[in-house]
Amino acid sequence: MNAGTKPFLITGAALLLVRGPGAGCSSPATDSGDSASPRAPDTESDTDTDADSDADSDADSDADSDADSDADSDADSDSDADADLSSCFSTRETDSAESSPTDDPGLYSGTYYVGIDPLSSTLKQDLHDLVSDCDYASYDSLWDAFQLSDARTDGTVWDIYSNEDFTFVEDQCGEYSAEGDCYNREHSWPRSWSNDDSSMKTDLLQIYPVDGWDNGKRGDLPYGIVDTPQWVTSNGSLTGTCQQGASTLEVFEPIDDYKGDIARTYFYVAVRFLGQDASWDSNEMVQGADILPQPEEMLRQWHADDPVSQKELERNDAVQGVQGNRNPFIDHPEWVSRIDDF
């Protein structure tokens, strides 16, 4: 998301809410759930998906006997399902002239990262220890938290999946049957992937208010690059399939303005839940809290192409006021390159 193109987020007027004392990310007491929050017919309400498609068949059939070694799909026993999905997690060409974030002092000037050495070989673990010191609010209180973290300057909901104008509280889902009916709580890292882990369920750093219908369309799809769109949201996000060889995968692709936001969210989750994912599921994008190599490469590119925006910085401030921790890769985008794998 290009910093100059998006409206400014609400000022940090009320960054309080329900942050309590205590060390360590404590899970909230279970609240009465959200039975009055049905999803669109397409699976659960908190998931993400992406589809990629760059099927470049530039086969130059020379009469060279060397051409055999250039064939992309060999009989190599090591490149099986992963290679089949490579186009799903490739990248689209964009007009962005942005390069990868450089080794700069970061975008945050506060004291939250005092004690963190970005040159340390244990940076990933050190950041895990830091961001795990937090207090999660209850699931129901996320509706109130959104008013601090995800409001546009005109007071409407900042929805990253659609261009709908939702009013806080009165447009909260609720029943819905079409795009534009109401907004819901989108777990960018789907709840089903973490087996509904209680901390993941309420971690505001990875939960966004989005159109309920679009939320249902996405379900628990991975993010990726869509070849064949099946659903297009009002802001141009896509649900559809990508194909590489004989493999077909359904994914969700956000618009370019929010691809970096999603990437940095995933890097945060991988660090925050490092070593705490024994019961989590695996799929085409992740294994537990680890991001698989091809999707990670795609997310790193999204991170580079869509630099941190003012929206993300303001949101990070607001979330710290609610649960006490921050996303390090928003404040220090240059730290992404210092971690070998997420």
Side-chain angles (χ1 to χ4, degrees):
M1 120 199 22
N2 298 321
T5 60
K6 296 190 182 169
F8 201 72
L9 193 62
I10 55 169
T11 60
L15 298 183
L16 5 128
L17 201 66
V18 287
R19 165 125 167 95
C25 268
S26 55
S27 298
T30 316
D31 49 270
S32 54
D34 221 354
S35 54
S37 196
R39 319 200 105 246
D42 279 91
T43 61
E44 62 190 343
S45 104
D46 302 309
T47 30
D48 19 57
T49 98
D50 246 33
D52 191 355
S53 68
D54 241 1
D56 257 17
S57 259
D58 227 55
D60 247 314
S61 269
D62 297 301
D64 261 342
S65 59
D66 288 321
D68 281 341
S69 61
D70 280 347
D72 262 328
S73 264
D74 299 353
D76 254 19
S77 57
D78 287 334
S79 66
D80 40 359
D82 250 7
D84 284 342
L85 297 174
S86 60
S87 80
C88 294
F89 302 112
S90 59
T91 55
R92 290 192 187 282
E93 290 185 12
T94 67
D95 296 330
S96 171
E98 305 286 349
S99 57
S100 295
T102 53
D103 211 10
D104 57 40
L107 304 172
Y108 173 76
S109 58
T111 59
Y112 183 70
Y113 301 101
V114 169
I116 294 294
D117 177 6
L119 299 179
S120 171
S121 61
T122 60
L123 177 61
K124 187 176 180 180
Q125 181 66 51
D126 296 343
L127 289 175
H128 164 77
D129 295 342
L130 176 66
V131 301
S132 296
D133 182 7
C134 57
D135 286 309
Y136 290 128
S138 71
Y139 190 52
D140 281 344
S141 70
L142 290 174
W143 297 115
D144 296 326
F146 286 153
Q147 297 181 57
L148 300 177
S149 62
D150 294 275
R152 295 183 179 273
T153 51
D154 63 1
T156 59
V157 175
W158 199 319
D159 180 354
I160 63 173
Y161 287 177
S162 84
N163 286 333
E164 305 301 327
D165 292 322
F166 294 120
T167 301
F168 284 107
V169 183
E170 70 179 64
D171 288 333
Q172 192 173 298
C173 291
E175 294 184 5
Y176 50 91
S177 57
E179 190 178 37
D181 283 352
C182 61
Y183 68 97
N184 214 335
R185 295 165 291 194
E186 160 73 329
H187 291 68
S188 59
W189 191 295
R191 288 168 59 180
S192 62
W193 293 8
S194 67
N195 280 320
D196 216 14
D197 179 275
S198 59
S199 295
M200 277 289 284
K201 180 180 178 179
T202 57
D203 192 331
L204 186 57
L205 282 171
Q206 69 100 9
I207 302 172
Y208 296 87
V210 304
D211 181 276
W213 187 256
D214 296 335
N215 180 222
K217 286 289 186 184
R218 193 231 159 174
D220 60 358
L221 296 177
Y223 291 116
I225 302 299
V226 171
D227 285 335
T228 306
Q230 298 169 341
W231 171 255
V232 183
T233 74
S234 59
N235 81 348
S237 298
L238 304 171
T239 297
T241 59
C242 56
Q243 187 154 356
Q244 178 81 1
S247 299
T248 300
L249 179 66
E250 191 175 3
V251 296
F252 183 90
E253 181 176 356
I255 61 172
D256 291 346
D257 276 357
Y258 299 114
K259 284 178 175 173
D261 305 49
I262 296 299
R264 288 178 281 276
T265 297
Y266 268 49
F267 300 152
Y268 161 78
V269 171
V271 166
R272 164 64 188 90
F273 294 93
L274 178 68
Q276 299 176 1
D277 58 353
S279 65
W280 291 23
D281 289 344
S282 298
N283 54 46
E284 296 86 356
M285 189 166 196
V286 300
Q287 182 172 19
D290 297 330
I291 306 169
L292 294 176
Q294 287 179 349
E296 180 178 332
E297 185 178 349
M298 176 192 73
L299 292 174
R300 285 180 183 270
Q301 189 61 52
W302 287 7
H303 168 66
D305 290 343
D306 176 28
V308 174
S309 68
Q310 189 64 41
K311 171 198 187 298
E312 292 177 84
L313 292 168
E314 293 287 344
R315 188 176 202 273
N316 225 12
D317 289 343
V319 173
Q320 185 180 16
V322 174
Q323 64 185 41
N325 67 348
R326 302 179 66 87
N327 182 338
F329 307 108
I330 291 173
D331 297 327
H332 288 278
E334 75 280 7
W335 287 356
V336 170
S337 64
R338 294 198 178 278
I339 294 177
D340 290 336
D341 70 271
F342 288 96

